[in-house]
Amino acid sequence: MSGLPGASTCPGPGEASDLKSPLGAKFREPLTEARFQQLFGDAEQEAELLAEPRWSRLRRLWRRRARACSGPGAWRLLRARLPPLRWLPHYRWRPWLLGDAVAGVTVGIVHVPQGMAFALLTSVPPVFGLYTSFFPVLIYTLLGTGRHLSTGTFAVLSLMTGSAVDRLVPEPLEGNLSGIEREQLDAQRVGAAAAMAFGSGALMLGMFALQLGVLATFLSEPVVKALTSGAALHVLVSQLPSLLGLPLPRQIGCFALFKTLAAVLTALPRSSPAELTVSALSLALLVPVKELNVRFRDRLPTPIPGEIVMVLLASVLCFTSSLDTRYNVQIVGLLPGGFPQPLLPSLAELPRILADSLPMALVTFAVSASLASIYADKYSYTIDSNQELFAHGVSNLISSLFSCFPNSATLATTSLLVDAGGNTQLAGLFSCMVVLSVLLWLGPFFYYLPKAVLACINISSMRQMFFQMRELPQLWRISRVDFAVWMVTWVAVVTLSVDLGLAVGVVFSMMTVVCRTQRVQCLALGLAEGTELYRPLRESHKLLQVPGLCILSYPTPLYFGTRGRFRRILEWHLGLGEGGKEAPKTDGPPDAVAEPVRVVVLDCSGVTFADAAGAREVVQLASRCRDAGIHLLLAQCNASVLGTLTQAGLLDRVTPEQLFVSVQDAAAYALERLELTGPKTCTVWV
């Protein structure tokens, strides 16, 4: 095995080394971890390779926190928690204000009908959808870091909330409630929905306190997209009774989608022709308008507000034709003016709704963080995932005091805000002005709005979520595993429920990661002639391998789930199994000389972490190698892995001279010091 051109024999144990003068050095001896730390490490760091004590890290963290109590520290903290203090002084009023105003008004116009429509999904009166389109938007404008994010009512959360509300406050079996009984039932349902918003907000604030913004990484893109696509199908099916004018109770729990379809098909002969006609006309207008907005996005100055046009036309038609009295068409009715009195949700309900609040908090954070990251990457700015937790937690917590139901960022209005020219969070203030004008003055104009129109708005707003399925062929080509995650999550959401489907998707996604770490192969390495590169032997039959020297790379974390496979693979390569020191199998060429292994170099560069079980497995391997007369060398361990191995007692089995900074150093040491048969030259670094 020859080294690089001009390489010479490495100096022996007694020869001097010019390592301390690298510019003038021509030769050097192999570097161990202890020697590297002595020469290049911190002056205060000893060579015992022990990790920093925990109390020292805590003390440094405490000092950092204490510095935050100073005047400059308090100002930095205030700027971090109130993002407008950072971006408002640099706001470009002339080029940005008009775009924010137009985008905010456009989104506000859409918020009005969508808010009332999503309130029906939540099983609360429509006016509470307007409250949820006002308070959360205002709060996120002050606390959020996503410049192009639009918050408010979201169909997926509304559906999840509505299912929980129907379970907690079910519709009486006898039906035909009086006006007072209906008001009492609505008040109980509003309280339950507000309690869920309070619970999800408190959970997100707890996650913020624990700095758990990193949890967004566990909700992969296939899981989020499959969740929203499956939930869109739930929304479509749940709106069929309203489209057909069928007074059917909402089905909840597992297989609710199929139960609803069966109930609709059974009651289809009793559908209302008037409401069916209103629904057909509404969809005939809304769907083409949505398609025009997408097709001519670049040519239209602002998207066509098809929802608000449909609301106005339907209200006028219902008023002039008396559809509510002549054909019993369900209408919105009177929208109370002003705002509700602040009221703390009943804390007695919190234990009952905690199991429902947790998946809502996760969905809120997953969708919002994903959308914010997409547009932050597109427009070259950064978001703070922990601040997003804080913003949405405070938004849900405070808005629940005003009888709002859970809210988050929304796919449709965020895309609409960007297309309309929005630049910053200031667009949210203009959106709030539109909703505020409806709450204070324009509410009576929606008295005759048919509820079937709101159901059509719900269905048409799902268009973007349904079209996410078009990405499946490309996902299949890129990653079969991600395709499987998408399909499993979607099937679970459709067949079970949204929250259970989310749990199944997250668990299955994590299991694919675990399974892939257990299927990683331990590779035998050989030297490419004339280079210092060690590559897997299976890649080429031209790589050089020294008889008696085995170099293995284990490119996966070493933890309790992989330690068994790690042990079996090393036994297979080193002949340490039940058959004793038999000649090991190799990945090399068929004509390679089989010789008992005398030295094994374990490349740990791919071991990103090791737990106690994995570290003990390495210690046991060192003991077995020592008993079998095999010299074990470890190369390129990171500080975390090395600290774990040291704490597990590795240095009781091996000496610090057996820990090397690279595979090249370990191989050079094996060739020069352990008297292996083969060439006596090694790679030289100048």
Side-chain angles (χ1 to χ4, degrees), residues 80-97:
R81 297 295 163 257
L82 289 176
L85 294 178
R86 299 199 305 267
W87 59 262
L88 196 56
H90 305 285
Y91 188 83
R92 300 166 60 185
W93 295 95
R94 187 180 297 274
W96 286 356
L97 184 59

Side-chain angles (χ1 to χ4, degrees), residues 548-633:
L549 173 63
C550 182
I551 304 177
L552 300 176
S553 175
Y554 190 72
T556 189
L558 189 55
Y559 64 104
F560 65 92
T562 59
R563 65 170 184 165
R565 181 173 178 81
F566 173 78
R567 179 176 61 250
R568 291 190 298 271
I569 288 177
L570 267 295
E571 289 177 349
W572 184 77
H573 276 281
L574 304 181
L576 297 177
E578 297 179 356
K581 289 192 61 180
E582 59 187 12
K585 301 176 183 178
T586 68
D587 292 331
D591 56 346
V593 178
E595 180 177 316
V597 176
R598 297 177 53 198
V599 182
V600 57
V601 177
L602 187 58
D603 178 14
C604 300
S605 59
V607 182
T608 55
F609 71 89
D611 67 354
R616 284 194 292 266
E617 197 65 50
V618 176
V619 174
Q620 292 174 9
L621 172 67
S623 297
R624 297 180 66 184
C625 286
R626 184 179 60 184
D627 296 340
I630 299 176
H631 208 70
L632 174 65
L633 308 178

Side-chain angles (χ1 to χ4, degrees), residues 304-648:
I304 303 172
E307 290 88 350
I308 198 66
V309 172
M310 188 66 249
V311 164
L312 296 176
L313 290 178
S315 300
V316 171
L317 177 63
C318 184
F319 173 72
T320 56
S321 304
S322 301
L323 296 179
D324 56 327
T325 57
R326 294 174 59 184
Y327 301 102
N328 199 26
V329 172
Q330 298 295 315
I331 61 175
V332 169
L334 181 63
L335 295 178
F339 297 104
Q341 184 179 0
L343 180 65
L344 183 67
S346 176
L347 299 182
E349 297 288 336
L350 288 181
R352 298 175 60 196
I353 57 90
L354 195 58
D356 297 298
S357 298
L358 180 59
M360 292 180 192
L362 293 177
V363 170
T364 298
F365 181 53
V367 174
S368 302
S370 300
L371 275 177
S373 299
I374 289 172
Y375 288 101
D377 294 340
K378 183 177 180 179
Y379 292 97
S380 303
Y381 62 90
T382 59
I383 64 166
D384 185 347
S385 57
N386 285 306
Q387 178 64 18
E388 288 295 299
L389 268 176
F390 179 74
H392 289 287
V394 172
S395 175
N396 278 274
L397 196 67
I398 294 181
S399 62
S400 68
L401 305 180
F402 295 92
S403 303
C404 297
F405 48 85
N407 59 86
S408 74
T410 64
L411 302 174
T413 54
T414 297
S415 177
L416 181 63
L417 185 144
V418 174
D419 293 340
N423 299 290
T424 66
Q425 296 95 315
L426 195 63
L429 293 181
F430 294 97
S431 175
C432 289
M433 292 179 186
V434 176
V435 179
L436 180 63
S437 63
V438 174
L439 287 171
L440 295 181
W441 303 294
L442 304 179
F445 290 98
F446 298 96
Y447 182 91
Y448 289 99
L449 175 62
K451 290 185 177 180
V453 175
L454 297 180
C456 295
I457 293 174
N458 277 331
I459 293 175
S460 64
S461 64
M462 297 295 103
R463 175 187 181 278
Q464 187 176 359
M465 298 185 192
F466 284 126
F467 283 173
Q468 290 179 142
M469 301 186 74
R470 295 186 300 184
E471 302 175 6
L472 286 178
Q474 182 182 10
L475 192 62
W476 171 265
R477 293 191 296 269
I478 296 175
S479 172
R480 306 291 173 84
V481 175
D482 285 346
F483 180 86
V485 170
W486 202 104
M487 292 303 301
V488 168
T489 305
W490 187 86
V491 171
V493 169
V494 170
T495 57
L496 300 177
S497 61
V498 176
D499 49 355
L500 289 179
L502 173 64
V504 170
V506 171
V507 171
F508 183 78
S509 177
M510 298 304 298
M511 288 302 299
T512 60
V513 176
V514 173
C515 292
R516 278 184 281 184
T517 61
Q518 294 186 343
R519 295 183 60 186
V520 173
Q521 298 294 326
C522 184
L523 303 175
L525 305 182
L527 179 66
E529 186 175 4
T531 72
E532 61 185 47
L533 302 177
Y534 284 85
R535 302 301 298 268
L537 291 173
R538 64 178 54 181
E539 292 184 2
S540 174
H541 290 175
K542 298 181 180 179
L543 299 177
L544 300 176
Q545 186 180 20
V546 178
L549 173 63
C550 182
I551 304 177
L552 300 176
S553 175
Y554 190 72
T556 189
L558 189 55
Y559 64 104
F560 65 92
T562 59
R563 65 170 184 165
R565 181 173 178 81
F566 173 78
R567 179 176 61 250
R568 291 190 298 271
I569 288 177
L570 267 295
E571 289 177 349
W572 184 77
H573 276 281
L574 304 181
L576 297 177
E578 297 179 356
K581 289 192 61 180
E582 59 187 12
K585 301 176 183 178
T586 68
D587 292 331
D591 56 346
V593 178
E595 180 177 316
V597 176
R598 297 177 53 198
V599 182
V600 57
V601 177
L602 187 58
D603 178 14
C604 300
S605 59
V607 182
T608 55
F609 71 89
D611 67 354
R616 284 194 292 266
E617 197 65 50
V618 176
V619 174
Q620 292 174 9
L621 172 67
S623 297
R624 297 180 66 184
C625 286
R626 184 179 60 184
D627 296 340
I630 299 176
H631 208 70
L632 174 65
L633 308 178
L634 299 181
Q636 213 164 337
C637 294
N638 64 50
S640 173
V641 172
L642 198 56
T644 304
L645 295 178
T646 303
Q647 295 293 339

Side-chain angles (χ1 to χ4, degrees), residues 170-375:
E171 186 89 16
L173 296 177
E174 60 272 11
N176 296 327
L177 301 178
S178 64
I180 297 178
E181 291 174 337
R182 173 57 64 182
E183 290 180 2
Q184 293 175 348
L185 180 66
D186 287 341
Q188 292 177 1
R189 290 186 164 184
V190 168
M196 276 182 278
F198 186 91
S200 61
L203 286 173
M204 281 188 281
L205 287 180
M207 293 165 64
F208 163 74
L210 297 174
Q211 299 292 287
L212 295 182
V214 70
L215 288 179
T217 59
F218 293 100
L219 295 167
S220 62
E221 183 178 350
V223 171
V224 174
K225 289 190 174 182
L227 172 73
T228 53
S229 296
L233 190 58
H234 275 280
V235 172
L236 172 62
V237 173
S238 68
Q239 295 304 291
L240 290 179
S242 297
L243 291 177
L244 302 174
L246 297 173
L248 299 176
R250 173 180 288 183
Q251 302 291 335
I252 58 176
C254 296
F255 310 106
L257 185 144
F258 305 103
K259 295 177 183 177
T260 303
L261 281 176
V264 169
L265 293 176
T266 303
L268 194 59
R270 295 186 283 111
S271 59
S272 170
E275 298 210 26
L276 184 58
T277 303
V278 171
S279 301
L281 292 176
S282 300
L283 290 175
L285 175 64
L286 288 173
V287 172
V289 168
K290 289 279 187 182
E291 191 65 26
L292 287 175
N293 285 333
V294 173
R295 292 286 183 89
F296 301 99
R297 176 183 304 174
D298 299 331
R299 302 181 185 180
L300 294 173
T302 58
I304 303 172
E307 290 88 350
I308 198 66
V309 172
M310 188 66 249
V311 164
L312 296 176
L313 290 178
S315 300
V316 171
L317 177 63
C318 184
F319 173 72
T320 56
S321 304
S322 301
L323 296 179
D324 56 327
T325 57
R326 294 174 59 184
Y327 301 102
N328 199 26
V329 172
Q330 298 295 315
I331 61 175
V332 169
L334 181 63
L335 295 178
F339 297 104
Q341 184 179 0
L343 180 65
L344 183 67
S346 176
L347 299 182
E349 297 288 336
L350 288 181
R352 298 175 60 196
I353 57 90
L354 195 58
D356 297 298
S357 298
L358 180 59
M360 292 180 192
L362 293 177
V363 170
T364 298
F365 181 53
V367 174
S368 302
S370 300
L371 275 177
S373 299
I374 289 172
Y375 288 101

